[in-house]
Amino acid sequence: MLKYIFSLLLFYCFSVVSYSSLAHATTDKHQAIEKFAESFIKAQLFTSKNERVSIEVTKIDRRITVSQCEGNMSAELVGNKSLQRSATVRIRCNNTDNWQLHVPVKIIRLVPVVVSNRPLSKGSLLTKNNTKIEYMNRVLLRSGYISDLTFVNRARLKRQLSGNQMISTRDICLVCKGENVTLTSSVGNLTVKTDGIALANGILGEKIKVRNSKSKRIVSGIVQAAGIIQINY
């Protein structure tokens, strides 16, 4: 099991660290143990880019008498070790038999999400002026949420949104079915452009079918930007 032991030397905090000062602390022992559990969880967490993490330690019942620990204290994870939503930390006094406490911890991972900054009607063109980034709890988000404002720039809404509502990939089309688009294809250093009509909705990087307006041929291409489809023959 993972163990986290505070030593007297702070630079050993990621290996074996003691927390003997707790044994002589004049502050509330319950609060000190809660802080100990929080520090332990922080040291174990791995976060992704742009992710914000907060830790909520369940308060120890103040009616529980916590005896003095005359030695070092250690912590370890109990049960599930994914550290995605919650965890339980077992705190032990190393020099005292049967001295232990279980402290539940809630882990909240916040990720950037594109939302509308005002009510928007179906067909609205999304820009930096009517969208913004909000940080939201990842476990509460449905699939398809968007974290980058550039992904929705000049996309159109397929449905009405209220203010501060999350915008998902299902809500937008950078290229919308039935609209005129520009088809581009490259051969060496030569780029050829022609007009076409989108036969499906598409978001950035998605492959959709389009009809070449001149040849009437139906081809597949990748959405490169608003109204731009890259064709690879």
Side-chain angles (χ1 to χ4, degrees):
M1 299 180 71
L2 291 175
K3 287 195 173 182
Y4 183 76
I5 305 174
F6 279 83
S7 73
L8 293 174
L9 301 177
L10 292 178
F11 55 82
Y12 288 132
C13 65
F14 292 103
S15 55
V16 178
V17 191
S18 74
Y19 207 78
S20 59
S21 58
L22 269 179
H24 309 289
T26 58
T27 57
D28 177 40
K29 292 191 289 292
H30 296 80
Q31 185 178 29
I33 292 171
E34 291 160 1
K35 290 291 185 182
F36 186 37
E38 180 181 0
S39 297
F40 166 69
I41 290 295
K42 283 182 179 179
Q44 309 301 317
L45 284 177
F46 293 94
T47 59
S48 60
K49 184 179 180 181
N50 297 326
E51 187 179 55
R52 297 177 181 176
V53 178
S54 63
I55 299 170
E56 295 181 1
V57 179
T58 300
K59 298 294 184 183
I60 301 171
D61 190 337
R62 279 357 187 212
R63 293 172 299 180
I64 298 174
T65 300
V66 179
S67 60
Q68 192 79 6
C69 177
E70 300 300 337
N72 295 334
M73 300 185 73
S74 63
E76 60 186 356
L77 289 174
V78 178
N80 180 25
K81 300 179 179 59
S82 65
L83 297 181
Q84 293 302 308
R85 302 179 63 174
S86 62
T88 299
V89 182
R90 181 188 289 121
I91 309 294
R92 284 182 168 141
C93 181
N94 295 338
N95 295 342
T96 305
D97 293 336
N98 301 320
W99 193 114
Q100 65 177 20
L101 280 173
H102 287 77
V103 183
V105 177
K106 184 178 181 181
I107 301 164
I108 302 174
R109 294 177 180 269
L110 303 176
V111 293
V113 179
V114 176
V115 301
S116 57
N117 64 14
R118 61 174 181 265
L120 298 172
S121 59
K122 180 180 178 180
S124 294
L125 187 68
L126 299 180
T127 68
K128 64 181 181 180
N129 295 320
N130 57 18
T131 57
K132 63 181 179 179
I133 291 290
E134 292 281 356
Y135 277 80
M136 298 183 177
N137 191 336
R138 188 175 66 185
V139 301
L140 301 179
L141 296 173
R142 65 180 188 270
S143 61
Y145 71 86
I146 302 167
S147 295
D148 190 345
L149 287 172
T150 60
F151 191 89
V152 303
N153 187 44
R154 301 194 62 76
R156 290 196 179 275
L157 280 177
K158 298 194 292 184
R159 68 184 184 98
Q160 181 177 321
L161 295 179
S162 59
N164 293 312
Q165 186 171 350
M166 186 187 88
I167 301 172
S168 75
T169 54
R170 294 185 293 272
D171 299 328
I172 62 172
C173 52
L174 197 58
V175 169
C176 300
K177 182 179 180 179
E179 75 175 9
N180 295 324
V181 295
T182 298
L183 310 181
T184 67
S185 59
S186 300
V187 179
N189 295 326
L190 179 64
T191 299
V192 179
K193 296 182 179 181
T194 188
D195 295 331
I197 297 176
L199 301 180
N201 296 321
I203 58 175
L204 186 66
E206 188 174 19
K207 179 181 285 188
I208 65 170
K209 291 186 180 298
V210 292
R211 178 182 288 112
N212 187 310
S213 297
K214 184 176 181 179
S215 67
K216 307 303 180 184
R217 181 183 176 189
I218 296 176
V219 295
S220 295
I222 303 297
V223 178
Q224 295 291 307
I228 306 295
I229 306 294
Q230 176 68 40
I231 306 298
N232 295 315
Y233 294 103

